[in-house]
Amino acid sequence: MSSRSEALRQEILSARCVLCVQPHYDDNDIAAGGSFARMADAGAAVHYLTVTDNLAGVLDAELSDAEAIARTRAEQEAAGREIGVHSQLRLDLPDAGEWSEVELRTRVIEEIRRLRPDYVFTCDPWLPHEAHRDHLRTGIAVAEAVMFHGMPRFRTRPEVDATYADGGDHEIRGLVLYFTREPNLAIDIGATRERKHRAIDAYRAQLQGENLAGIHAGIAAMERLWGEPDGVEHAEAFKLLRPGQLHVGLAPERRPGA
Ligand SMILES: [Zn+2]
């Protein structure tokens, strides 16, 4: 990729704190586990926020809901240890069920105010043909949270809001989208790729047998594709948007034709 994307890559890899919001417990690692492991290795606090209770994808129909949730929590902790995740927070909204973007947006604003991340990661809600509404709603809710988190009339918990208002400067430098078809940066994951794939192996409640093998193969194909422009074997790709780019296009990434 270009020198511009090199600058973006260096910027991301020097993050001190990132909030990574995923619809389901395995999305962050499937999309970006190698990059999050690199950031954690470089000293960033990598925080995962999982939106749903993950019940829809659990394969064992004999488990009670409570048992299934406990199992996915344990798997997520094990995967997080591979990656070096600093904290795991789950909202347990109903997987593939009824919940509102506004409700999620408020929870994400609360976590932004509490954690003060440099960058917020999530899935690209503008991925062509994305049919899973958990992904669409999560992407939009997080984008709006990045846009609105500094505005005092967006209220969360009073103690969080008061501390944030009194707490000096905080700026989100970018919304970073994964599962995107319009990347503007790629991160070489040669050094962390094995940990990423081991992390994905932890998600056995939902991924087994041929399905799991197919996931690994599909991820590997994308990793090679994204590595090609930079001449590396395996990479992960992202779309970094500045907060000012998230509404009505008055802060374009670059001039048309430039
Ligand atoms: Zn998902």
Side-chain angles (χ1 to χ4, degrees):
M1 282 196 176
S2 65
S3 58
R4 188 172 165 283
S5 77
E6 177 59 27
L8 294 179
R9 177 166 39 232
Q10 292 307 324
E11 203 191 302
I12 294 284
L13 290 173
S14 61
R16 304 316 300 157
C17 177
V18 295
L19 172 62
C20 313
V21 186
Q22 57 183 351
H24 309 109
Y25 77 152
D26 52 359
D27 290 312
N28 281 342
D29 291 342
I30 287 173
S35 299
F36 294 141
R38 271 195 77 173
M39 288 178 218
D41 289 353
V46 177
H47 300 277
Y48 279 13
L49 173 60
T50 303
V51 173
T52 71
D53 60 17
N54 300 287
L55 285 177
V58 172
L59 300 170
D60 184 349
E62 304 298 313
L63 292 178
S64 70
D65 286 357
E67 288 168 338
I69 287 175
R71 190 164 155 196
T72 61
R73 280 183 187 274
E75 292 179 352
Q76 189 169 7
E77 292 293 332
R81 283 192 291 276
E82 285 285 355
I83 301 294
V85 175
H86 189 83
S87 77
Q88 301 265 10
L89 183 72
R90 293 179 35 147
L91 301 181
D92 286 336
L93 299 174
D95 191 352
E98 280 301 331
W99 50 267
S100 87
E101 292 99 322
V102 173
E103 175 187 8
L104 175 58
R105 185 182 75 194
T106 299
R107 294 303 308 272
V108 175
I109 289 174
E110 180 181 328
E111 292 310 312
I112 288 172
R113 289 177 180 170
R114 195 172 66 81
L115 298 169
R116 299 169 177 258
D118 309 313
Y119 298 90
V120 179
F121 287 75
T122 194
C123 52
D124 186 345
W126 302 286
L127 175 69
H129 319 300
E130 174 60 66
H132 203 311
R133 289 197 311 135
D134 289 348
H135 282 234
L136 300 172
R137 287 178 290 182
T138 297
I140 285 291
V142 174
E144 281 200 334
V146 167
M147 204 168 35
F148 296 145
H149 73 279
M151 300 172 76
R153 296 187 72 84
F154 286 81
R155 296 191 174 97
T156 71
R157 276 192 299 143
E159 60 271 33
V160 172
D161 295 351
T163 305
Y164 190 76
D166 293 341
D169 289 339
H170 166 241
E171 182 191 7
I172 294 177
R173 302 189 64 191
L175 171 69
V176 190
L177 302 174
Y178 56 68
F179 293 147
T180 186
R181 286 293 179 273
E182 294 187 347
N184 57 2
L185 79 140
I187 292 178
D188 178 0
I189 57 162
T192 53
R193 179 175 181 272
E194 283 185 18
R195 283 158 61 193
K196 167 194 181 174
H197 284 263
R198 276 202 302 273
I200 292 165
D201 277 334
Y203 299 117
R204 292 299 170 100
Q206 297 198 0
L207 305 175
Q208 293 178 14
E210 278 183 27
N211 187 23
L212 178 58
I215 293 265
H216 281 298
I219 293 168
M222 295 304 284
E223 289 169 343
R224 286 191 294 272
L225 191 71
W226 285 324
E228 266 174 33
D230 293 335
V232 301
E233 243 180 300
H234 300 98
E236 291 166 343
F238 303 92
K239 176 76 168 182
L240 189 156
L241 293 162
R242 303 298 179 189
Q245 292 177 280
L246 295 174
H247 186 45
V248 302
L250 295 181
E253 194 176 5
R254 63 175 79 103
R255 289 192 311 281

